[in-house]
Amino acid sequence: MVLLSARDIHKKYDETEVLKGIDLDIEQGQVVALIGASGSGKTTFLRCINLLEEYHQGRIELEGESIGYSANGRRRKLGERQISAQRAKIGMVFQSFNLFPHMTAEANVMLGLTKVRGMSNAEAQERARHWLDRVGLADRRQHYPYQLSGGQQQRVAIARAVAMEPRLMLFDEVTSALDPELVAEVLAVMQDLAKSGMTMVVVSHEMLFVRDVATRVVFMDGGLVAQSGTPDEVLHNPQTERLRSFLGRFHGIFGPV
Amino acid sequence: MELERGTFLYEAWTARWSLLEGLMVTISSSVMTIIIGTVLGFAVGLVLTYGMLPFRILARLYVDIMRGIPVLVLILFTYYGLAILKIGVKPYWAGVIALSLFCISHVAENVRGAVQSIPQGQHEAGMAIGMRFFQRLRYIILPQAVRRALPPWVNTALEIVKGTTLLSVIGVVELLLANQQAIARNYMILQFYMAATIVYIIINFSIAQAAAALERRYAYLRY
Ligand SMILES: Nc1ncnc2c1ncn2[C@@H]1O[C@H](COP(=O)(O)OP(=O)(O)O)[C@@H](O)[C@H]1O
Ligand SMILES: [Mg+2]
């Protein structure tokens, strides 16, 4: 079943078009890895999905519901109430964590549950504890972000997003800001999520993770989807010179044998 | 204790009620101004940051003009301006209004600076979990911004306390004018001005200490 479909997404910053007609369907339960050179539009595309950016052409549907813009008639941005409700169905984890620094780990996770989902404090706390447990931070619930390592902060950020029970999770280079020795703990949490059946779009340069966890790899180039397929097809049988040279940067792990 | 006529303590004791009254006027006009200025300044600061364009321009205009006028001029203008418009207000209230106009502009600018210093990522993290604008403001942005706005707010408060001395020019008998009136009777210029100075320092020191305590209270939030 198609969970998310993006059709012909065009996005301009001022006069430069950075997305030039993205088409992508994401099936329920898929783990889609978005790869591509810096500046190819991966971040911009994720942000369009979550309505953090407006785009001037194209349509995105989540479970058949038009996201961000009215589906019929003149293309019109939806109201804040509707957009917020739609965003709550899509979780996003940022490269820079963006935890709320004035709240404990637990309070970070609880905020959306109480204010957006309308849960009682007790309910929200129980769920926050469950997810902090699940990302391996049961003993860090009462810590403030500055008391946590980067890897721990990023795991709190994942717990905060997942606790909302989104239909889809977006990860934008979530390990890029981490010290190398902290990358694995975050990837492990993401792998655990993927196994549990969560639909995920993952922008990542961790090629081993992409190869082992993704069910589908999408190579973006110059604001377009240049190639898409199974990890095997894309990583080992690049169809374009651009993809070959992109993969070549990863120490020759991939590319044609 | 027997006080000898002609000593400072004797003269101060003689003038105690008018001095005390002056002190009360200083404190009440300061407190009044700071409360009005903080509440309205907060609102204007938010308009300055998030308001729709025409409102934002108006707020910007107000803040820039108020910050550009010497407080003394503002006080005279308010007092005589209201009189010319046949709006009868006591000098005390004209003074509080003028100081408040000044205070609002400073608090507004402080609030704008503090709110805008919160990284955009904080808004986006809130959006990503489906929070609406006012929820983000209330639970994410303002709690952080208020802590950042505290130090400049203290500065503004101290300026206001010192600014109340200017109310003497429109005849408000606040601490300074009460002292001057005592001096007019006994010519103990140095002693009375010194005493007044010490009282101002004590008031402002107390405000600064209270704020420092508040900051220490939240010192565990290092970010
Ligand atoms: N806020 C912005 N304003 C102007 N240009 C931007 C902005 N954000 C991104 N861009 C440009 O859009 C292009 C795509 O950026 P991005 O989506 O961040 O790529 P990626 O995530 O693949 O590195 C880049 O050329 C970048 O310079
Ligand atoms: Mg990026």
Side-chain angles (χ1 to χ4, degrees), chain A residues 37-39 41-44 95 172-173 203 205:
Chain A
S38 178
K42 307 181 296 294
T43 295
T44 305
Q95 184 174 339
D172 189 10
E173 296 201 37
V203 173
H205 293 297

Side-chain angles (χ1 to χ4, degrees), chain B residues 76-119:
Chain B
L76 293 171
F77 208 75
T78 309
Y79 180 57
Y80 293 111
L82 289 176
I84 288 166
L85 292 175
K86 303 240 181 309
I87 301 175
V89 289
K90 293 202 181 103
Y92 174 87
W93 285 108
V96 167
I97 291 172
L99 286 175
S100 295
L101 291 174
F102 169 80
C103 188
I104 289 169
S105 68
H106 280 257
V107 171
E109 193 60 19
N110 295 342
V111 166
R112 183 199 58 78
V115 168
Q116 287 185 340
S117 77
I118 307 300

